[in-house]
């Protein structure tokens, strides 16, 4: 399927979202900045408001207008952008923190009169649009692969809310069948697909929903949420509605040439964008990753108090009353405060509370799953990670898992607190192959850096028997492999990560001690390690 | 949307509905935790419950919905004795709520404008005598969780800050929902929920169709749909009201107590809270079904709700704890 069709579908999605903003919520547009996205957003130029995930909450959802309140001496409220009479555009939707996503979800549940267009600009698996938000935006489209040549005009003006035709019973059954066939979780998506089909029929000026509408709804709503592909050739047939059901006018308005449709799965599959099939197939593994959502590090709500600082009252900051009064006090005479009158406070006087908070710890396990380690140690390493997980669970640590074998290092688990997921990933960890230690370390360093950007304190725990034999560039060269591993170790030290190396070989390996020294980390030789001892060693090193 | 989706019209999810009804019959059971996929009607059920519950009588203008003037906190300055009927409060605690909004805080607006030191009640005050609903409870920030644990334990909210010293009753049924794939719940908070249920996506296609059908009727044929289901809702409401009355006369006999204790022992559930929750849930269930004694039927039905989240769990044991509870029920109760 071509890029033109993909572009056309994105345009249809926009029109649908405008035709039924309350029901469909809006569009989740996967596109980084580029001509396609610009062309798409140009249609929204007039009347739309741009949001940003980093906006203070009172700007988004309204609150006290401090400046006006202090100036007038009366309580002045200001409306948030959620009250804006027009479409809302949310760039960098993947950066939306969970608490903001919850507010947006509430806003969408309350049914706005205009759609929300969320732009997903995530670069990899590491980030994703919070599911609470993504799930409520009915239409998911991808402009990533649309080249300049494929971009057509977007018809404006955009349609307004339209009266939607009602689905027939058979069509309800059909959409339910499609949702089932694509393994779409939850019940919301089915309903959204139904609305999308009805909206498309309305846009086309039809009084009844046609097969074409359902096909489109399936493409825009159901297929992007699929967890598995329908069995080709054996679509689960929806049960035919009983004859007695709904004998009303709808059945009579059914056009003659519209026989009870077969599931249009084949048609839908044929039109899915390239790469979508592969992505759906990989969805299971991917769904198990995502970001481990935890607490945001917010400097003004808990922890050890640090001196207050000037600032503006957003939705979440807390006023430091004493500091504010202290800042205002010297100026009272200059501001002409009458004797006994109320204090004259200006917005510039406002001081906020700030707190310092120890950040969450992230334990990154880098596990050697190579052939030399696999037979004897992999099971033990798994056991140790499981025990550590149980301990981390109690301490509210985050955990991540990287395995290296053959020529590759693979992130099996992005930072998470979910034990369920970790357990599953761990159980499926294969073993065998060469030992690309340097790649494992590089992967771990990258993850640690990105975790630190998100405010966590990463610690690396490296489990290996130390016989590195694959260099960073993928060649099988022992000498290069060892020096690459040492280089990576130095890089880890340079970035100031805490690290410990657990030597799981049958005989302690001097190279690993050197590695640990290069990282300025702890080193443990555990010739006959069992899971319990590894776990105890790691805990002891961490608590030291 | 003026009216929420009717409670009785929710397709399937019987465990969730039962758990919510039981807490409505006996609020002291202590809350429901609903864990499961997105879009499975968790929020819908809570909103529906709010519409289903019988109204409460409260003093006019009281910020904590007190039943009598004596219960009104003195800082509210309530002088009237008049009461009015209000719907049972169902208060949303949004994920991003600040501590100030939850507990209440100095009224900054009045402090800035009038220089007055006044208390602005928070969500906990509004939820008193009703429900506090937390969507995505597993993503709630730790300091809010700490605060909730404290209040849920004591039934009282105390605010000591900015020169304020305020306390008011805060007794509410905690309803939490979330998706376990996105994060675990702290064991301390887990234990605080009386009942827990796992909800799943509709398993078969007929259910999916029925979900869509009812939703379609709700949106497009609202009047007839509400008429049809509000009658059912009214039936449930009456049952809840009569069950509340019946609760007093339902005392567990020796055999029931023994069953409950044996079940909890066999499951190795921590502490005594499990026994109490199970007993209360079984009693509420018996009352709801208008039965005159607590029997094994009731205990059997209530046990998965009351116990599956409190077993001393190997946090890595993947086999659903519900399955384990089921097995133990079979062996203990036969």
């Amino acid at each position: 399927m071509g890029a033109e069709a993909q572009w056309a579908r994105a345009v249809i999605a926009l029109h649908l979202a405008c035709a039924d903003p309350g029901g469909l919520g809006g569009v989740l547009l996967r596109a980084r900045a580029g001509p396609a996205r610009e062309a798409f957003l140009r249609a929204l130029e007039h009347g739309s408001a741009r949001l940003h995930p980093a906006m203070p909450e009172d700007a988004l959802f309204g609150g006290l207008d401090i400046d006006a309140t202090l100036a007038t001496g009366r309580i002045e409220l200001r409306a948030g952008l959620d009250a804006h009479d027009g479409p809302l555009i949310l760039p960098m939707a993947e950066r939306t923190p969970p608490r903001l996503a919850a507010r947006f979800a509430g806003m969408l549940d309350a049914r706005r009169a205009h759609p929300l267009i969320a732009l997903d600009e995530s670069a990899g698996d590491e980030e994703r649009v919070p599911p609470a938000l993504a799930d409520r935006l009915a239409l998911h489209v991808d402009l990533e692969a649309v080249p300049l040549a494929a971009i057509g005009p977007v018809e404006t003006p955009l349609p307004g809310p339209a009266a939607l035709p009602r689905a027939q019973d058979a069509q309800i059954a059909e959409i339910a069948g499609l949702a089932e066939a694509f393994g779409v979780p939850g019940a919301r998506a089915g309903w959204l697909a139904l609305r999308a089909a009805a909206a498309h029929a309305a846009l086309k000026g039809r009084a009844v929903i046609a097969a074409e509408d359902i096909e489109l709804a399936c493409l825009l709503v159901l297929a992007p949420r699929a967890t598995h592909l329908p069995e080709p050739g054996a679509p689960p047939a929806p049960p035919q509605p009983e004859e007695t059901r709904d004998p009303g006018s709808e059945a009579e308005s059914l056009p003659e040439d519209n026989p009870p449709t077969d599931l249009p799965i084949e048609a839908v599959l044929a039109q899915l964008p390239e790469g979508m099939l592969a992505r759906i197939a990989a969805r299971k593994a991917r769904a198990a990753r995502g970001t481990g959502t935890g607490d945001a590090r917010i400097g003004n709500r808990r922890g050890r108090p640090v001196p207050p600082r000037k600032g503006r009252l957003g939705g979440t900051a807390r006023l430091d009353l004493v500091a504010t009064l202290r800042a205002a006090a010297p100026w009272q005479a200059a501001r002409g405060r009458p004797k006994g009158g109320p204090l004259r406070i200006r917005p510039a006087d406002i001081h906020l509370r700030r707190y310092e908070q120890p950040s969450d710890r992230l334990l990154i396990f880098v596990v050697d799953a190579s052939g030399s380690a696999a037979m004897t140690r992999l099971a033990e390493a798994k056991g140790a990670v499981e025990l550590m997980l149980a301990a981390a669970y109690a301490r509210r640590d985050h955990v991540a898992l990287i395995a290296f074998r053959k020529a590759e290092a693979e992130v099996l688990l992005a930072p998470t607190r979910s034990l369920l997921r970790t357990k599953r990933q761990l159980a499926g960890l294969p073993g065998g192959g060469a030992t690309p230690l340097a790649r494992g370390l590089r992967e771990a360093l990258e993850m640690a850096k990105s975790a630190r950007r998100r405010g966590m304190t990463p610690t690396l725990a490296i489990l290996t028997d130390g016989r590195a034999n694959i260099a960073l560039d993928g060649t099988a060269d022992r000498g290069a492999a060892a020096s690459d591993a040492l280089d990576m170790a130095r890089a880890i030290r340079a970035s100031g990560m805490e690290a410990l190396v657990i030597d799981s070989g049958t005989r302690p390996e001097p190279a690993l001690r050197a590695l640990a020294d290069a990282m300025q980390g702890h080193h443990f030789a555990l010739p006959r390690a069992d899971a319990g001892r590894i776990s105890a060693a790691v805990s002891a090193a961490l608590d030291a | 949307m003026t009216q929420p989706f009717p409670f009785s019209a929710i397709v399937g999810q019987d465990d969730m509905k039962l758990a919510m009804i039981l807490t409505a019959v006996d609020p002291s059971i202590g809350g429901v935790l609903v864990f499961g996929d997105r879009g499975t009607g968790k929020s819908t059920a809570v909103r529906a419950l709010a519409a289903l519950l019988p109204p409460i009588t409260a003093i006019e203008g009281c910020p904590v919905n007190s039943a009598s003037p004596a219960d009104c906190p003195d800082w509210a300055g309530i002088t009237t004795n008049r009461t009015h009927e209000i719907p049972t409060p169902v208060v949303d605690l949004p994920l991003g709520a600040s501590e100030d909004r939850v507990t209440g805080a100095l009224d900054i607006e009045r402090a800035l404008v009038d220089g007055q030191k006044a208390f602005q009640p928070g969500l906990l005050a509004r939820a008193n005598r009703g429900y506090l609903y937390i969507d995505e409870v597993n993503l709630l920030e730790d300091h809010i969780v700490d605060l909730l644990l404290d209040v849920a334990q004591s039934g009282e909210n105390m605010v000591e800050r900015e020169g304020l010293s305020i306390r008011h009753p805060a007794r509410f049924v905690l309803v939490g929902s979330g998706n376990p794939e996105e994060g675990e719940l702290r064991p301390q908070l887990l234990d605080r929920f009386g009942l827990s249920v796992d909800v799943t996506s509709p398993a078969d296609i007929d259910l999916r169709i029925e979900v869509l059908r009812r939703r379609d009727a709700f949106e497009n044929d609202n009047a007839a749909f509400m008429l049809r289901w509000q009658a059912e809702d009214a039936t449930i409401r009456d049952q809840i009201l009569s069950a509340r009355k019946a609760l007093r006369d339902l005392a567990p006999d020796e055999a029931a107590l023994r069953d409950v204790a044996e079940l909890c022992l066999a499951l190795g559930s921590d502490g005594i809270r499990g026994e109490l929750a199970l007993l209360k849930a079984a009693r509420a269930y018996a009352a709801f079904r208008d039965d005159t004694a607590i029997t094994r039927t009731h205990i059997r039905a209530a046990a998965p709700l009351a116990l599956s989240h409190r077993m001393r769990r190997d946090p890595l044991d993947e086999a659903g704890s519900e399955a384990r509870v089921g097995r133990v029920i079979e062996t203990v109760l036969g």
Side-chain angles (χ1 to χ4, degrees):
Chain A
M1 149 359 308
E4 283 87 358
Q6 217 166 319
W7 170 258
R9 194 160 311 131
V11 172
I12 294 177
L14 180 59
H15 282 171
L16 290 181
C18 292
D20 183 20
L24 297 175
V27 182
L28 178 65
L29 187 70
R30 186 167 161 70
R32 271 171 274 181
R37 194 177 96 174
E38 289 317 305
F40 185 87
L41 293 182
R42 210 168 300 131
L44 290 164
E45 227 161 35
H46 299 291
S48 69
R50 257 179 121 89
L51 315 176
H52 193 279
M55 272 182 165
E57 264 180 55
D58 63 341
L60 287 173
F61 300 102
L64 185 70
D65 187 335
I66 300 278
D67 297 15
T69 300
L70 289 174
T72 61
R74 278 193 317 274
I75 290 168
E76 303 277 350
L77 298 175
R78 72 169 156 177
L81 280 170
D82 63 330
H84 174 76
D85 184 27
L88 296 177
I89 300 171
L90 177 68
M92 285 192 261
E94 76 283 357
R95 304 285 297 169
T96 313
R99 64 189 166 83
L100 207 55
R103 298 290 302 262
F104 280 128
M107 181 183 93
L108 290 171
D109 284 349
R111 302 195 161 208
R112 277 172 47 83
H114 298 281
L116 172 70
I117 315 292
L119 307 178
D120 175 4
E121 304 171 33
S122 57
D125 283 348
E126 191 188 293
E127 297 173 312
R128 60 172 179 173
V129 179
L133 177 59
D135 201 46
R136 282 172 170 85
L137 296 171
L139 310 157
H140 294 195
V141 284
D142 192 340
L143 285 183
E144 204 81 309
V146 175
L148 199 54
I151 299 170
V154 182
E155 289 164 47
T156 44
L158 296 169
L164 306 187
R166 197 166 166 190
Q168 295 144 20
D169 213 46
Q171 291 171 327
I172 291 178
E174 187 179 343
I175 285 189
L178 282 164
E180 177 86 9
F182 278 96
V184 178
R188 184 181 283 127
W191 168 247
L192 292 176
L194 196 58
R195 291 288 288 221
H200 189 249
L203 278 185
K204 296 280 171 189
R206 279 191 281 268
V208 286
I209 295 172
E212 177 199 338
D213 303 322
I214 292 182
E215 198 177 300
L216 190 92
C218 187
L219 273 167
L220 289 174
V221 183
L222 296 179
R225 292 170 163 82
T227 56
H228 60 75
L229 287 176
E231 309 253 320
Q240 293 302 315
E242 303 106 277
E243 293 301 316
T244 50
R245 228 189 139 76
D246 243 10
S249 55
E250 291 158 18
E252 285 150 27
S253 68
L254 204 152
E256 299 282 305
D257 60 349
N258 191 4
T261 41
D262 279 334
L263 288 176
I265 287 180
E266 310 277 324
V268 168
L269 287 184
Q271 289 187 58
L272 287 178
E274 282 161 39
M276 168 80 103
L277 298 181
R279 242 187 293 151
I280 290 174
R283 181 70 56 93
K284 275 239 165 82
R286 231 168 46 116
R289 291 189 191 173
T291 55
T293 22
D295 308 358
R297 217 125 324 286
I298 293 165
N300 54 20
R301 286 199 269 171
R302 71 186 281 235
R304 204 169 60 81
V306 291
R309 178 181 87 178
K310 276 191 182 186
R312 300 183 59 82
L313 281 176
T316 51
R318 283 188 52 200
L319 178 77
D320 190 318
L321 194 62
V322 176
T324 304
L325 292 179
R326 197 173 281 148
W331 305 101
Q332 293 307 306
R335 289 174 190 169
R337 171 185 175 229
K339 217 171 165 47
L343 286 174
R344 304 240 158 142
I345 295 175
R346 301 263 164 88
D349 298 332
I350 287 177
H351 278 62
L352 301 181
R353 296 223 166 153
R354 291 191 307 148
Y355 297 95
E356 194 176 69
Q357 183 187 170
S359 58
D360 287 10
R361 184 155 60 184
L362 167 67
L363 260 177
I364 303 176
F365 286 94
V366 189
V367 179
D368 186 348
S370 68
S372 57
M375 296 310 126
T376 47
R377 290 287 174 259
L378 192 54
E380 283 163 12
K382 283 184 185 180
V385 174
E386 287 196 2
L387 282 175
M388 287 304 304
L389 272 172
Y393 176 72
R395 279 201 309 258
R396 308 284 291 159
D397 286 348
H398 297 252
V399 185
L401 183 62
I402 294 172
F404 56 94
R405 61 188 281 264
K406 289 185 180 166
E408 281 308 321
E410 194 189 353
V411 179
L412 289 178
L413 193 76
T416 179
R417 271 183 184 163
S418 169
L419 293 168
L420 214 69
R421 254 195 228 163
T422 319
K423 170 86 178 167
R424 274 188 212 145
Q425 285 291 322
L426 210 56
L429 177 62
T435 312
L437 181 56
R439 290 216 167 169
L441 293 179
R442 183 174 63 184
E443 198 70 36
L445 180 60
E446 269 165 25
M447 179 189 278
K449 279 182 174 166
S450 94
R452 188 182 272 172
R453 278 196 295 278
R454 278 179 287 147
M456 291 194 254
T457 309
T459 302
L460 307 182
I462 300 148
L463 268 94
T464 177
D465 62 357
R467 297 187 193 110
N469 52 16
I470 300 283
L472 263 189
D473 57 8
T475 52
D477 177 344
R478 268 180 194 281
S483 73
D484 279 356
L486 268 182
D487 284 349
M488 287 315 300
R490 288 194 196 100
I492 288 172
R493 183 190 59 193
S495 60
M497 305 288 172
E498 224 181 301
L500 52 132
V501 177
I502 298 161
D503 185 343
S504 61
T506 42
R507 228 171 303 134
E509 175 74 39
L512 280 183
R513 157 136 334 249
L515 193 75
D517 287 346
M519 284 189 245
Q520 280 185 348
H522 301 268
H523 173 260
F524 302 97
L526 297 172
R528 272 280 154 243
D530 57 59
R533 285 176 58 197
I534 295 183
S535 167
V538 175
S539 297
L542 284 176
D543 295 335
Chain B
M1 198 60 43
T2 48
Q3 287 169 310
F5 196 79
F7 189 79
S8 46
I10 295 170
V11 181
Q13 316 294 20
D14 294 329
D15 281 350
M16 174 171 73
K17 286 194 279 187
L18 178 62
M20 287 184 180
I21 288 173
L22 294 185
T23 59
V25 171
D26 182 1
S28 72
I29 290 175
V32 186
L33 178 67
V34 188
F35 252 13
D37 296 340
R38 272 171 199 295
T40 40
K42 291 174 298 214
S43 310
T44 310
V46 176
R47 311 256 174 277
L49 182 71
L52 172 80
L53 291 170
I56 60 170
T57 307
I59 300 288
E60 265 181 39
C62 177
V64 297
N65 315 315
S66 298
S68 72
D71 296 341
C72 287
D74 45 7
W75 49 262
I78 303 287
T79 48
T80 174
N81 272 344
R82 273 179 316 192
T83 59
H84 59 165
E85 286 212 330
I86 54 170
T88 302
V90 176
V91 176
D92 265 358
L93 196 159
L95 211 50
S98 67
E99 201 176 320
D100 289 358
R101 257 193 80 203
V102 176
T103 59
L106 182 75
D107 189 333
I108 290 189
E109 305 174 10
R110 283 174 64 189
L112 285 177
V113 176
D114 311 330
Q116 270 183 22
K117 196 169 83 175
F119 178 67
Q120 185 177 40
L123 298 175
L124 294 177
R126 275 172 50 208
N128 189 33
R129 300 182 67 204
Y131 284 72
L132 187 68
Y133 173 52
I134 312 170
D135 194 10
E136 311 210 55
V137 62
N138 47 341
L139 302 184
L140 202 63
E141 285 172 40
D142 279 349
H143 64 122
I144 303 279
V145 171
D146 295 344
L147 202 147
L148 282 177
L149 286 178
D150 185 44
V151 175
Q153 168 113 32
S154 62
E156 190 175 50
N157 177 33
M158 292 205 287
V159 183
E160 297 280 354
R161 59 156 73 134
E162 277 134 10
L164 289 169
S165 179
I166 295 285
R167 57 176 58 201
H168 65 76
R171 295 180 196 286
F172 46 81
V173 177
L174 208 53
V175 180
S177 68
N179 183 350
E181 288 265 303
E182 286 160 29
E184 306 270 332
L185 201 62
R186 258 167 78 184
Q188 295 92 322
L189 184 59
L190 198 59
D191 189 44
R192 218 48 72 127
F193 286 97
L195 309 175
S196 85
V197 278
D198 283 342
V199 294
T200 49
S201 301
D204 70 63
I205 182 143
D206 290 326
L207 280 183
R208 274 188 192 258
I209 294 174
E210 191 55 31
V211 169
L212 279 183
R213 227 178 237 150
R214 288 197 192 167
R215 186 72 212 237
D216 179 62
F218 173 67
E219 300 271 344
N220 293 319
D221 196 4
N222 192 279
F225 185 76
M226 292 309 274
L227 204 64
R228 151 102 174 72
W229 290 102
Q230 270 170 349
E232 304 255 334
D233 269 11
T235 315
I236 298 179
R237 187 180 307 127
D238 292 343
Q239 271 176 295
I240 290 175
L241 281 173
S242 62
R244 280 181 184 170
K245 287 202 192 83
L247 214 50
R248 265 170 265 146
D249 306 325
L250 269 175
D253 59 9
E254 198 57 34
L257 288 175
R258 179 159 290 276
D259 281 344
V260 166
E262 268 179 25
L263 262 180
C264 291
L265 212 57
L267 282 166
S269 72
D270 287 335
I272 193 96
R273 220 184 294 248
E275 272 98 325
L276 286 176
L278 174 53
L279 199 59
K280 281 179 174 171
R283 189 169 67 154
Y285 185 50
F288 182 68
R289 295 208 343 178
D290 207 10
D291 293 334
T292 48
I294 303 171
T295 66
R296 286 198 162 174
T297 319
H298 309 123
I299 296 174
R300 198 187 299 271
L305 302 176
L307 298 182
S308 59
H309 60 300
R310 343 174 162 261
M311 292 176 334
R312 168 154 326 149
R313 65 194 203 121
D314 169 5
L316 299 165
D317 177 19
E318 202 178 344
S321 38
E322 250 170 67
R324 261 170 76 197
V325 175
R327 279 200 304 275
V328 172
I329 293 174
E330 281 311 307
T331 44
V332 175
L333 299 186

